[in-house]
Amino acid sequence: MEFRLLGAVSVATEIGELPLGPAKRRSLLAALLLRPNHPVPVDQLTAALWDHEPPQRARSVIQGHVSRLRVLLAGADAEMFGVELVTQGPAYVLRMPETLLDAHRFEELVTLARSQRAPADAVAMYQEALSLWQGPALTGAYPSQPLQAAAHALEELRLTCVELLAAGYTRMGEHARAAAVLRAEADVHPLRESLSAGLVRALQRAGRRSEALDWFHRTRRLLADELGVDPGRELADAYAVVLRGEDDDAAQAPAPVPPPVPVPVPVPVTAQVPSSVLHSGTVDLLPRMPRGFHGRAAELTALSRVAAGEAPVCLVTGPAGVGKTALVVHWAHRNRDRFPGGLLYADLRGFSDTGEPTLVEVLREFLLALGVPPRRIPESASGASALFRSLAADRQLLVVLDNVRGSEQVRELLPGGARCVTVVTSRYRLRGLIASDAARPVPVDVLEPEDSTALLAAVLGKERVLAEAVAARRLAELCGGLPLALRVTAARLADQPDWSLSAMSVELSDESRRLSLLDVEDTGVRAALRLTVRRLPEGAAHHFAHLGRHPGTHVDRYTAAALADTDPDTAEAALDRLTAAHLVTRTAPDRWTLHDLVRLYARGLDTGPDTLVRMLDHSVATALAAAGAAEPGDESCFAQPADFHPPQAVREFADRDQAMAWYAAERDDLTLAAAAAHTAGLHSRTWRIVLAMWPQMVWRVLDGWTPLLQTALEAARADADTRAESRILALLGWVLTEEGRTHEALVHLEAAPVLASRAGDARGEATALVNLSLAQAALGSPEEAAEGCAQAARLARGANDRHTERLALYHLARHQLAAREWQSALETSTAAHALDDPSDTSAASRVLLLTVAGEALLGMGAETEGVRRLEEAAREAESCGYDDGAVRALGALLRVSADVGLQARYDTAMVRLMAGT
C-alpha cells in the first residue's frame, strides 16, 4: 500500500488505486496525510475543504467523508499495513507508518543523497527521489488556501532536488546532462533565478557559450517585464563568468549544496484563535487609534481611492515626523469594516536604533495571527512567504508595513490577493517598489497653518489656543507645520500649564535652541532626523551635512557641489538620494530646498571652516559668469582674492536671457550670502558678491538695492580696498539718484571719481563721472553734467574701453537733449552707435541710443524718422523685458501722439517697472 501526494492524491494497492471519489474527499485525505499520526481538528479540515463560509452541515459532510474513507481502507486491508483512521476528541488521526507516504520517502532520499561523498551515488538517489513525482503535488484536491500552500512548498522542495541533481552532474563533469535537467525546469519556472543561474553556468561549462548568453538575456528581459527588477547577484555572477570566457573553476570543486527544505504541511486558518483575533473573529494587529489626529482630508481621500483598486499597494511617503504612521493607522481604523479578513501591521523599523526585524520574524507574526500553530510555520523565509500568500489569496486583508527602509524589505510581505490592500510607509520614495509592484504614491507634506493650530488645540484645549491665536500660529510657523515638532511643543506646554504660548514662541525663535526645545525624552525632531541621516550612503550624508552651511533657501547642483567640494554630477546624484529620503525637496528641475528644521539640523553637523568660503566663492564666480553673459564685452569689475577657492565647475550661460533669469531666481540667496559673509567678517567676499550683481541693479534699478550696497560699502572700507570702494560709491550714488534721493547721492558720487583716480582705475573713474553727471543734471547743472560726461568719454577712450566710452557718450547725448541741442545730441548718439561692439549683445545700450536719436530727430522736426526709431526702441525693449527702456521710448512717443494703444503699453511697462518683476 502506498499513499501518494506527489502527483494526484491517491492510495495505491496491489489490486489498483482506491476509488476515492470527489475532490472534497481527496482534500480530506490530503489534509490527514500532510500530518500523519497527528490529530487534525475538524476546524482545520473545514478550512481545507472550503475557502469561504463553510455550509452549516460542514461537520456532517466531513463525518460522511471520513466514514467512506474508513470503508475504502478496510476493503484494502489497510490494518495489515498498520493504517487506521481514528477519531480523537474533536479531531481525526490517520495512523500509519510514514514510509508508506511518498512525500516522506522523497524527503528521506534527498537527505540521504546529501550525505553521500561519491557524486554518482548522490545522483542516483536524487533520480530515485524525483521518480516518485507523477505530476504537480496534491492534484485532484480542492484548491483551498492551506492545500495550495502545502502544494507550493512541496514544489519548492522538488525544485531544490532538481538543482541538487544538476550539481551532482556538475561534480561528475557531465555538464550537458546538468544543462538538460535545468533547462527542462527553467522552461516551466522562468522567473526562478537559481535555475537560470545554474543553467547559464552549465551551458558555459558544456562549451555552449552563445546559448548561455542567450538564456541570460532572455531571463533578464523577463524579470524586467514581469517584475520590474534586474537579475540578482547569483544570476549576474553567472553572466560575468560567461562574459569572461572562463571555464569556471567551481565546476571542478564540489558544488555548493542548498540547505534542506522541510516538507511543509497545510495549516488552516481556523487552527487556533490567537490573542490578535477579536471577539468578532477579525484578526487585528493595528496599533491603537492615534489621539489628536487632525486634518489630512486630501491624503485620506487619496488612500481610499488607491485602496479601491485590485490588489493595490499604497506607498505613503514623507519626511521624518510628518505623521505618516498616524495617517495610515487613523485611516485603517476608520476603514476596518472593509477588511473582514483581518488587519495586519508590522513596524519594519527601517529608521530605528533597535535594528530591523528579519523577514521570517515578520512573517511568523502574521502567520500566528492568521491561526498557524508555531510548530507548523516554515523555518525558511521563502516557505513562510509562500504560506502567507496562500492564506491571504482569497481573504480581504489590510497589511500595513510601517517604517520601511527599502523596497526589498516588503516584496516578500505583499499578500497579492485580489482583495488585499497593502499600505507601506517610508521616509524614502521607494521607486523600486513603484516599478516592480505598481505601488501608488501618496505623498504626505507638512500641515497647513490651520491644521497645525488645530493639532495644538487637540492637546492643549481650544480655549488655551484661542486665547493666544497669534502666538499659536507663530508656533505652527516655527515648527514648520511638522506634526512631530508640534506634538513635542504641545507636550512641553501641557506639562507647564502656566507657560504662555507667546513665551514658548519666543524661545523657539532662537535658532540655536530650537531643535533642543523640540526634543522630549527619546522623541523629537533631532532624533528622527539623526536616524534618517544615519541610513544615507556616505556621499549623500557628506553633501547633506554641507547643505546646512548654505545661508540661502535654495541650492542648485553647482552650489551643492561647491559646498561639499565635489563636482555637479556627484552633487546631483546626492541630492537625488536626499530627495528620495525626504531630506530635501525638489522645487524645479535644478533647484532644491530644505525644511527649516532640517536645515537647522544639518547646520549643527561639523563640516569644517572652509565650507562657507567655498560657497561664497562659488557665488561670486557664478555671478561674474552671469555678468559676462548679460553684458558681453564689459570687463570684470574686480579680480578674485589671493585665497580664492575656485569651484570645480561654474554654471555656463548661453545668453543674456539665461543670465538675467538666474539673477532673478538667485537674488534673495545672493543677498543672504552677502549677509552671511558680512557676519563672518569675510569682507572681501561681501563686497564682491554685491558688486557682481550690478547687471541686475542696472536692469531693475528701482528694486530696493540701497541697503545691500551700503553693506558692501562697509565691507570694502573694512577690506581697505579703495578701488572697490569707488566702484560701490558710484553704483550706490546712481541708485539713489534714480530713487529721487539726489542730494544723498551727490555725497557718494563726488567721492567716487576721486577714489578711482587714486586707485589708478580709469574705467571706474569714467563710470563714476557719468553717474555724477546724472545727479548734477537733476540738481540743475546741465553744463557741469555734460562736461563730466565728455571727460568720462576721454578717459575711457584713453583706456581703450569702448563699452564705457559708449556709455559716456549716451549720457552726454541725453544732457544735450535736455539743453535742446538737438543736432549735437543726434551726432553724439551716432558716434556712440559707431562704437558698437559686435560681442556686445546687450539690448539695453541699443534701446537707449535709439531712444536718444529718436528724441533728437523729433526736436529737429524730422517726426517720421524720429517716431520710427522710438517705436523700434520700444518694441525691442518690450520683447526682452527691459521695462525701464520701454518706459523711456514710449514716454517720448506719447509726447507726440495720443494713441490709446501707446498709452496702454506705457502703463504696462511702468507697472512692471515699479513692481520690479
Side-chain angles (χ1 to χ4, degrees), residues 193-263:
E193 290 191 54
S194 57
L195 280 174
S196 292
L199 177 56
V200 168
R201 289 184 180 274
L203 289 169
Q204 166 68 6
R205 293 164 184 159
R208 294 150 64 181
R209 185 169 184 265
S210 61
E211 289 183 56
L213 291 171
D214 179 71
W215 190 267
F216 168 82
H217 288 296
R218 173 183 171 182
T219 307
R220 176 185 58 78
R221 287 191 297 269
L222 193 62
L223 288 170
D225 293 342
E226 296 292 329
L227 304 179
V229 299
D230 293 324
R233 181 172 181 179
E234 183 180 5
L235 183 54
D237 286 347
Y239 177 59
V241 168
V242 179
L243 286 180
R244 292 194 299 267
E246 297 175 357
D247 291 332
D248 191 358
D249 294 337
Q252 308 304 322
V257 179
V261 179
V263 175

Side-chain angles (χ1 to χ4, degrees), residues 651-690:
R651 179 185 292 275
E652 297 180 355
F653 299 93
D655 51 31
R656 177 182 177 81
D657 290 343
Q658 278 192 9
M660 298 312 295
W662 179 84
Y663 272 126
E666 297 296 327
R667 180 197 168 159
D668 290 343
D669 278 3
L670 288 171
T671 302
L672 290 169
H678 191 56
T679 300
L682 300 169
H683 306 301
S684 66
R685 269 74 181 182
T686 305
W687 66 258
R688 280 180 167 84
I689 290 176
V690 177

